[in-house]
């Protein structure tokens, strides 16, 4: 089960803090059941009040089972109804807090110094302390939980002459827990903001490493990384791999006639045309050099590669490029190489074949496709 979502937005953060809140409640559930068993057995509460022990045991078991089921099913239902799911979680959690403070209040009215009362104070202290960490993702909920756990106990102790010291101790403890809760929550937020900024930096670096800033297609650096990989994949699968080397004709003249900005927009348009013409998910469009593009076509035969090269050449020529009032007809020469890579061969081979074919296309008059 994946408990960590990638945090890119406020919604992602809310989802992650909900999940942290839900999942960290699991240990608390065990503590509650164990704590209850120890209290009723070790303090003799069961022998004094067997019927009440059974009734309360049922109650705590039912609440714990409901909470356990709710936590276990979160992966199926949380996504579709996150608010209702969290509201139910809070409700069951607060019910459990009320169980413990109710038990304390009942004890104090029955016998102010019974062993079960002292044990339940210990339980309130242990559980509240554990809650600070497990609920660190939701500060308001932690505070409500502490109020329900400790306020009734403090108020009732205050009302008993011989237990007023306990009321002061509980209030002091409560203050300490509030400060501790604030600190834990602050750390939680800081940790996530740190992760978020790390992830953003990584995404920036990744995209700078791969993507050409002008045309937003893959850059040569990425091409060098992935061409070798595609080559090895083709060897492994015994498939052909095609490479189209596309060079824009007389681009220098375009720059000189219309200016650098027009030339830049022209390159963006060319990248779009190539990207739209190559429709397979596995096809890779790369800006190889200034006005030179490469298209890698994994698992593609010669006839299909030639057909696609012709489509690109045609689309470039017949969609006249327009930028403001200026327009220009773009033509490209395309060299096509297709090979079935053999063990221990180098991908440079395919690159050389396509480059030679491109050279042929240029010397045979440009605006044409040649096979290497
Ligand atoms: N606007 C713009 N021009 C670029 C960019 N990168 C390269 N160029 C220009 O592309 C032109 C390439 O010129 P050449 O290599 O002589 O090729 P060509 O003029 O296209 O001629 P042929 O390829 O022989 O048809 C140069 O003038 C470069 O300045 C760019 O990012 N933006």
């Amino acid at each position: 089960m994946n408990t960590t979502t990638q945090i890119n937005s406020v919604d992602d953060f809310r989802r992650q803090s909900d999940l942290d809140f839900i999942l960290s409640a699991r240990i608390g559930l065990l503590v509650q059941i164990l704590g209850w068993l120890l209290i009723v057995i070790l303090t003799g509460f069961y022998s004094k009040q067997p019927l009440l022990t059974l009734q309360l045991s049922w109650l705590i078991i039912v609440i714990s089972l409901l909470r356990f089921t709710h936590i276990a099913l979160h992966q199926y239902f949380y996504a579709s109804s996150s608010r209702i799911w969290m509201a139910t979680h809070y409700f069951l959690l607060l019910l459990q807090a009320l169980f413990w403070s109710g038990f304390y209040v009942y004890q104090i009215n029955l016998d102010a110094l019974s062993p079960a009362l002292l044990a339940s104070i210990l339980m309130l202290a242990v559980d509240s302390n554990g809650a600070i960490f497990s609920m660190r993702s939701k500060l308001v909920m932690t505070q409500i939980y502490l109020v329900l756990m400790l306020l009734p106990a403090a108020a009732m102790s205050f009302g008993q002459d011989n237990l007023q010291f306990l009321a002061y101790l509980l209030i002091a403890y409560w203050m300490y827990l509030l400060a501790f809760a604030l600190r834990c929550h602050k750390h939680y937020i800081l940790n996530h903001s740190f992760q978020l900024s790390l992830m953003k930096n990584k995404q920036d670096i990744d995209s700078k490493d791969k993507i050409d800033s002008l045309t937003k297609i893959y850059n040569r650096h990425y091409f060098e990384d992935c061409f070798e990989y595609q080559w090895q994949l083709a060897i492994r699968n015994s498939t052909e791999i095609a490479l189209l080397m596309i060079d824009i004709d007389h681009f220098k003249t375009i720059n000189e006639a219309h200016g650098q900005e027009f030339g830049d927009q022209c390159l963006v348009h060319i990248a779009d045309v190539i990207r739209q013409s190559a429709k397979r998910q596995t096809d890779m469009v790369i800006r190889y050099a200034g006005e030179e593009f490469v298209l890698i076509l994994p698992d593609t035969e010669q006839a299909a590669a030639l057909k696609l090269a012709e489509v690109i050449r045609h689309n470039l020529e017949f969609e006249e490029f327009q930028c403001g009032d200026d327009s220009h007809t773009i033509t490209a020469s395309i060299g096509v190489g297709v090979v079935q890579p053999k063990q221990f061969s180098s991908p440079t081979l395919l690159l050389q074949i396509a480059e030679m074919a491109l050279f042929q296309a240029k010397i045979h008059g440009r605006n044409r496709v040649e096979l290497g």
Side-chain angles (χ1 to χ4, degrees):
M1 175 173 51
N2 185 14
T3 58
T4 314
T5 55
Q6 193 163 325
I7 299 173
N8 291 319
S9 63
V10 174
D11 270 354
D12 288 347
F13 178 71
R14 185 178 58 80
R15 207 169 306 126
Q16 182 63 53
S17 65
D18 285 353
L19 287 179
D20 287 343
F21 193 83
I22 292 176
L23 294 175
S24 54
R26 289 175 295 191
I27 296 175
L29 275 178
L30 283 178
V31 172
Q32 310 259 342
I33 302 275
L34 265 175
W36 175 250
L37 287 176
L38 287 175
I39 289 174
V40 291
I41 296 168
L42 296 181
T43 62
F45 186 79
Y46 174 67
S47 22
K48 274 191 210 155
Q49 310 243 11
L51 186 65
L52 184 65
T53 305
L54 279 178
Q55 286 167 341
L56 289 179
S57 298
W58 271 117
L59 188 59
I60 189 83
I61 286 171
V62 168
I63 298 175
S64 300
L65 272 179
L66 281 174
R67 289 195 63 205
F68 182 79
T69 317
H70 186 266
I71 292 170
L73 294 181
H74 88 275
Q75 48 189 322
Y76 306 109
F77 298 106
Y78 170 80
S80 56
S81 54
S82 62
R83 284 183 199 279
I84 298 177
W85 203 251
M86 286 313 287
T88 318
H89 186 79
Y90 297 150
F91 173 74
L92 292 171
L93 184 75
L94 297 182
L95 209 59
Q96 204 153 30
L98 277 176
F99 173 90
W100 287 107
S101 53
F103 183 62
Y104 180 89
V105 169
Y106 173 78
Q107 289 293 314
I108 218 166
N109 285 326
L110 200 71
D111 175 1
L113 283 172
S114 73
L117 178 87
L118 299 177
S120 60
I121 293 180
L122 194 63
M123 184 63 199
L124 289 180
V126 168
D127 192 75
S128 312
N129 199 21
I132 302 298
F133 182 74
S134 63
M135 297 185 191
R136 67 198 181 286
S137 62
K138 309 269 179 192
L139 185 61
V140 175
M141 252 340 269
T142 316
Q143 288 177 0
I144 297 174
Y145 189 80
L146 289 180
V147 167
L148 283 187
M149 283 292 261
L150 301 176
L151 188 67
M156 290 306 287
S157 307
F158 201 72
Q160 303 275 333
D161 285 345
N162 53 352
L163 286 184
Q164 278 183 352
F165 73 97
L166 211 53
Y168 293 124
L169 279 178
L170 278 170
I171 288 171
Y173 184 57
W174 186 11
M175 294 298 116
Y176 156 76
L177 288 183
L178 281 183
F180 188 31
L182 263 174
R183 209 184 154 100
C184 282
H185 182 68
K186 204 171 139 195
H187 271 265
Y188 180 85
I189 300 284
L190 272 178
N191 185 26
H192 278 290
S193 345
F194 183 59
Q195 275 182 24
L196 185 60
S197 66
L198 268 184
M199 203 151 358
K200 285 233 159 86
N201 281 345
K202 189 176 173 306
Q203 279 167 357
D204 279 359
I205 291 166
D206 280 356
S207 89
K208 271 184 197 139
D209 235 25
K210 282 186 190 173
I211 306 292
D212 173 55
S213 57
L214 177 69
T215 55
K216 310 293 179 225
I217 57 176
Y218 292 121
N219 60 22
R220 186 163 180 166
H221 181 252
Y222 187 62
F223 163 78
E224 274 151 17
D225 281 352
C226 80
F227 188 32
E228 173 70 39
Y229 171 76
Q230 291 290 354
W231 188 261
Q232 295 304 329
L233 209 62
I235 294 176
R236 195 185 157 88
N237 298 333
S238 304
T239 50
E240 286 175 298
I241 178 164
L243 189 143
L244 272 54
M245 189 150 271
I246 306 161
D247 188 283
I248 309 307
D249 297 328
H250 304 301
F251 197 72
K252 200 166 175 217
T253 323
I254 300 179
N255 269 334
E256 283 165 2
H258 304 278
Q260 188 83 9
E261 176 57 27
F262 183 92
D264 282 355
Q265 291 316 309
C266 205
L267 291 171
V268 174
H269 163 75
I270 293 162
D272 283 346
V273 171
I274 302 174
R275 197 164 34 192
Q276 281 159 24
S277 310
K279 294 199 168 62
R280 282 194 202 164
Q281 286 279 318
T282 46
D283 297 341
M284 289 191 61
V285 188
I286 296 122
R287 186 173 179 205
Y288 189 70
E291 31 73 79
E292 216 171 324
F293 297 83
V294 158
L295 185 52
I296 304 176
L297 308 169
D299 195 7
T300 304
E301 294 169 355
Q302 186 176 302
L306 281 171
K307 194 172 162 195
L308 179 58
E310 192 51 48
V311 167
I312 292 170
R313 192 201 62 75
H314 176 273
N315 288 350
L316 284 173
E317 186 178 11
F318 286 91
E319 278 180 42
E320 193 180 51
F321 174 64
Q322 202 133 23
C323 182
D325 295 335
D326 265 2
S327 64
H328 197 99
T329 301
I330 300 158
T331 64
S333 302
I334 305 180
V336 179
V338 185
V339 291
Q340 181 169 336
K342 298 273 174 293
Q343 198 83 42
F344 308 119
S345 60
S346 157
T348 322
L349 170 76
L350 179 56
L351 210 50
Q352 282 167 352
I353 294 173
E355 268 169 354
M356 277 306 292
L358 173 63
F359 180 67
Q360 294 296 322
K362 289 281 181 191
I363 57 172
H364 288 146
R366 295 180 169 82
N367 190 20
R368 54 188 289 128
V369 174
E370 288 281 346
L371 177 67

